[in-house]
Amino acid sequence: MNTPTMSQPHWRKSSHSGGDEGNCVEIADLSDQIAIRDSKNFAAGHLTLTRQHFTSLLAQLASQP
């Protein structure tokens, strides 16, 4: 039985990720979910959140000093 392969997600680097600062985050739109990964460590995999949880995460991060 052949299992259909998921198309490769289009990863985008955060505009807040500095060049050589080591804090590089990428996101990908997976239709009903958002994937987040460390752009310098692809082997670590990615975190997948619902759009609602991703929005909540961004709001929480924005409220931090």
Side-chain angles (χ1 to χ4, degrees):
M1 180 169 125
N2 290 337
T3 305
T5 58
M6 185 173 138
S7 64
Q8 293 290 349
H10 175 72
W11 292 95
R12 298 178 312 181
K13 186 181 251 187
S14 168
S15 60
H16 293 284
S17 293
D20 294 326
E21 296 174 18
N23 297 321
C24 297
V25 176
E26 292 181 326
I27 63 168
D29 184 348
L30 304 177
S31 296
D32 60 339
Q33 297 177 324
I34 302 294
I36 306 168
R37 74 178 181 185
D38 179 346
S39 66
K40 294 184 178 183
N41 188 4
F42 299 144
H46 64 273
L47 174 67
T48 304
L49 300 172
T50 64
R51 290 183 173 280
Q52 181 180 3
H53 286 122
F54 182 71
T55 301
S56 296
L57 173 64
L58 293 181
Q60 179 67 28
L61 293 172
S63 71
Q64 300 298 311

